[in-house]
Amino acid sequence: MEKGKAFLVGAGPGDVQLITVKGLEAIKKAEVILYDRLANPKLLDYAPSDCELIYCGKLPDRHVLRQEMINDLLVAKVLEGKIVVRLKGGDPGVFGRVGEEAAALAENGLSFEIVPGITSGIAAPLYAGIPVTHREFGESFAVVTAHDKSENGQPKLDWNGLATGIDTIAFYMGISNLPYISENLIRNGKSQETPVILIQWGTFSRQQTLEGTLSNIAAKAEEVNFTNPAITLVGDIVSLREKLNWFEKKPLFGKQIVLARTGTDESELARELMEQGADVIEFPKWKRVTVPIDQRVIKRIAEYEQILFTSPESVREFIQVLIAEGIDVRRVKADFYGCSAKSVKALKDKGFFAELEGEMPQHGKLLIVGDREIPLNYDHADRFLTSQKVIDEQFTPIFKRVLEEASVNTIVLPCSISVKTFIEEGILKETIPQQLLKTSEIICMGVKTAEAARQYGMKADMVLESPDKTTVIDRLCRKEAAYV
């Protein structure tokens, strides 16, 4: 069997857009991905639908897989002839143990590449408004581990060199050792009034910061139960934060949104929400499989008076079927409608006039085009499956882990179909905690969506009259928006 190849990839600090081009290309061609807890799981959306995903995450109090097991698994998968991506948070060469993994591959004569990433010790301060170097505040910068392999986990460092020779110091994962760090820096000459900032979940919308000095930061962190993952930045350069704090001023900073999905294509709404500073958890993760074409519908295609498309993908697939079957589109006499603004846009992009589902008359011969998720209240309609959309169950445990660490405060339901999926696949199967329905603002994009939500016992906090991404963004940014 031909040997495979490994790519040891830095996933960046958290913001999904901070992955390198080369790292993203590796993910897109991967057959196996071994990923860590701190690698943003949204990056896995770019992997092929048949890619094997293996969680290697570590928590402070337990290991899912120990490093030796990860090394062995990495070697085994490459020996199977697979393209294997080892996806690690930040930069794999900065406290990422990439040297051990690369050595295991080299010792077995296996091919590998190391793809650098943006390390959190630089990125997290920048997202908190603090460059790690500045001509007026510091010309030297050090990255330091705040833990080592000793029994007490307290690193044996050149404290005198750090205290007297380095202007700015970034300690990785150092919250539990804050008293030890502060004490040693002060003892070796650092002023007890030296500014310190703790940055938790840097570059995510759930980024939290805590400022203090070497003399009081440990007590402050204990008082508010500040935890890892976090960067501890020490130095006078921290004072720049007040002037340069940019990320936390984004209009949707702090918004942690669950966006109910019905399609397999990349979500423009999710992308725009993230651009405005929000964290977005898209649920569920779908993949498509082909189905046989229903020739009975094809033969009667000219008889339908309305055709309702359930997703943008269904528009593309319907046109492909017509072409494959040699059917002139002019034979289709029906008016076109979409279950969402995205579906309507997909139709208009193909040159067809279309309206939203809510504008569709309740009489006439109706064909619903899409997958098995048929909208409520359309029992009389014919159905044409262009493909079968199924939930990618590999992502179920990923969603659960993400939701455990997030503090979701907003739920966005784009269409009536998304409501059904959100409840039946998320809430009822306990992938999504039911408590979120009580603690989150529920936004329904359109009256039909709100009606579907009510049928499942959900009360919308906001019903948008214009169910499009611009209205959602405006509403969440607290601008004027049309709603009822």
Side-chain angles (χ1 to χ4, degrees):
M1 179 182 296
E2 183 180 349
K3 292 180 181 177
K5 185 172 182 177
F7 292 84
L8 310 175
V9 176
D15 184 334
V16 71
Q17 293 183 315
L18 295 182
I19 184 76
T20 64
V21 172
K22 189 168 186 177
L24 189 59
E25 288 175 348
I27 292 171
K28 288 180 177 179
K29 63 185 179 185
E31 296 172 283
V32 181
I33 297 180
L34 284 68
Y35 64 100
D36 280 349
R37 173 194 176 210
L38 297 182
N40 191 328
K42 286 186 70 65
L43 291 171
L44 301 177
D45 289 348
Y46 295 97
S49 59
D50 57 351
C51 180
E52 181 183 7
L53 307 177
I54 302 174
Y55 183 55
C56 302
K58 300 173 184 176
L59 292 169
D61 58 342
R62 63 186 183 274
H63 295 284
V64 174
L65 289 177
R66 300 201 69 82
Q67 187 62 50
E68 295 77 10
M69 297 175 64
I70 295 172
N71 296 348
D72 292 344
L73 185 58
L74 186 59
V75 168
K77 291 297 181 180
V78 176
L79 283 172
E80 290 176 9
K82 303 289 182 62
I83 299 297
V84 182
V85 168
R86 176 74 172 103
L87 194 61
K88 306 168 75 69
D91 182 283
V94 181
F95 309 125
R97 304 184 75 169
V98 73
E100 299 170 47
E101 295 173 355
L105 292 162
E107 288 165 4
N108 285 273
L110 300 174
S111 178
F112 66 89
E113 291 186 25
I114 301 175
V115 182
I118 299 174
T119 186
S120 57
I122 295 173
L126 282 171
Y127 270 55
I130 307 164
V132 295
T133 63
H134 191 287
R135 288 188 299 172
E136 296 179 13
F137 291 91
E139 298 179 343
S140 58
F141 167 66
V143 294
V144 181
T145 181
H147 284 271
D148 65 10
K149 296 190 296 183
S150 62
E151 187 174 337
N152 60 13
Q154 295 178 340
K156 296 177 176 60
L157 303 170
D158 180 3
W159 290 106
N160 182 261
L162 285 173
T164 60
I166 303 296
D167 298 309
T168 307
I169 311 166
F171 290 93
Y172 285 59
M173 300 296 186
I175 302 304
S176 63
N177 278 335
L178 274 177
Y180 175 75
I181 292 169
S182 300
E183 177 186 342
N184 277 281
L185 288 176
I186 293 171
R187 182 186 298 144
N188 284 273
K190 210 78 166 173
S191 168
Q192 63 179 3
E193 298 306 313
T194 302
V196 180
I197 187 170
L198 311 180
I199 310 166
Q200 180 193 64
W201 290 112
T203 78
F204 285 92
S205 187
R206 59 180 181 269
Q207 175 175 296
Q208 295 288 327
T209 59
L210 181 66
E211 294 184 64
T213 64
L214 283 177
S215 64
N216 62 23
I217 192 64
K220 283 188 170 186
E222 183 178 8
E223 182 180 354
V224 298
N225 193 29
F226 206 92
T227 60
N228 285 318
I231 291 293
T232 300
L233 196 72
V234 179
D236 292 335
I237 206 165
V238 172
S239 62
L240 288 172
R241 169 174 161 78
E242 184 176 355
K243 181 186 294 185
L244 304 182
N245 185 12
W246 63 275
F247 178 58
E248 294 172 22
K249 293 180 180 178
K250 284 200 168 191
L252 297 185
F253 177 79
K255 286 287 185 184
Q256 297 185 55
I257 300 170
V258 171
L259 173 62
R261 291 299 313 277
T262 58
T264 55
D265 288 350
E266 183 179 3
S267 169
E268 293 181 8
L269 175 57
R271 185 170 63 250
E272 183 61 29
L273 289 168
M274 289 187 288
E275 285 289 338
Q276 298 299 324
D279 284 341
V280 181
I281 302 169
E282 299 177 66
F283 176 86
K285 176 69 167 63
W286 296 98
K287 63 180 181 180
R288 288 188 175 273
V289 295
T290 59
V291 296
I293 295 173
D294 188 341
Q295 293 294 333
R296 294 173 301 174
V297 170
I298 291 295
K299 291 176 181 177
R300 298 198 302 267
I301 197 67
E303 300 175 11
Y304 296 100
E305 297 170 82
Q306 296 104 28
I307 299 180
L308 175 64
F309 294 86
T310 63
S311 67
E313 296 92 335
S314 67
V315 173
R316 181 175 61 247
E317 292 166 352
F318 180 73
I319 300 299
Q320 290 172 346
V321 168
L322 294 182
I323 293 172
E325 294 295 312
I327 296 175
D328 190 330
V329 72
R330 289 173 293 185
R331 284 184 54 196
V332 182
K333 306 298 183 183
D335 294 326
F336 286 174
Y337 299 88
C339 285
S340 66
K342 286 179 64 177
S343 300
V344 170
K345 181 178 183 300
L347 285 161
K348 290 181 178 179
D349 288 345
K350 294 291 185 181
F352 301 109
F353 179 79
E355 294 182 282
L356 281 167
E357 173 189 5
E359 303 299 319
M360 187 172 67
Q362 297 301 307
H363 56 82
K365 192 170 181 60
L366 172 64
L367 175 66
I368 298 179
V369 176
D371 48 51
R372 297 186 186 279
E373 296 295 331
I374 299 303
L376 302 176
N377 303 324
Y378 290 115
D379 293 336
H380 67 284
D382 290 342
R383 182 173 64 188
F384 183 61
L385 298 182
T386 54
S387 66
Q388 184 169 349
K389 183 178 63 178
V390 297
I391 291 176
D392 191 336
E393 297 295 348
Q394 280 199 103
F395 282 79
T396 299
I398 296 173
F399 286 124
K400 289 182 177 180
R401 282 194 297 271
V402 170
L403 290 169
E404 284 175 2
E405 294 184 327
S407 298
V408 172
N409 49 37
T410 308
I411 296 170
V412 176
L413 303 170
C415 60
S416 56
I417 301 174
S418 71
V419 176
K420 180 176 186 293
T421 303
F422 179 82
I423 294 295
E424 295 185 2
E425 299 295 335
I427 300 296
L428 297 182
K429 291 187 178 180
E430 300 183 345
T431 301
I432 297 175
Q434 188 163 0
Q435 182 66 18
L436 290 186
L437 299 179
K438 300 177 182 177
T439 59
S440 302
E441 180 184 24
I442 299 175
I443 298 177
C444 289
M445 295 175 64
V447 174
K448 288 273 188 181
T449 307
E451 290 176 356
R454 278 194 287 270
Q455 290 187 38
Y456 281 99
M458 297 171 63
K459 181 180 179 182
D461 296 289
M462 189 61 57
V463 181
L464 304 180
E465 189 175 67
S466 300
D468 55 70
K469 68 177 183 179
T470 301
T471 306
V472 176
I473 299 298
D474 286 347
R475 168 64 184 91
L476 289 174
C477 292
R478 303 195 180 281
K479 296 177 181 178
E480 286 189 8
Y483 59 87
V484 294

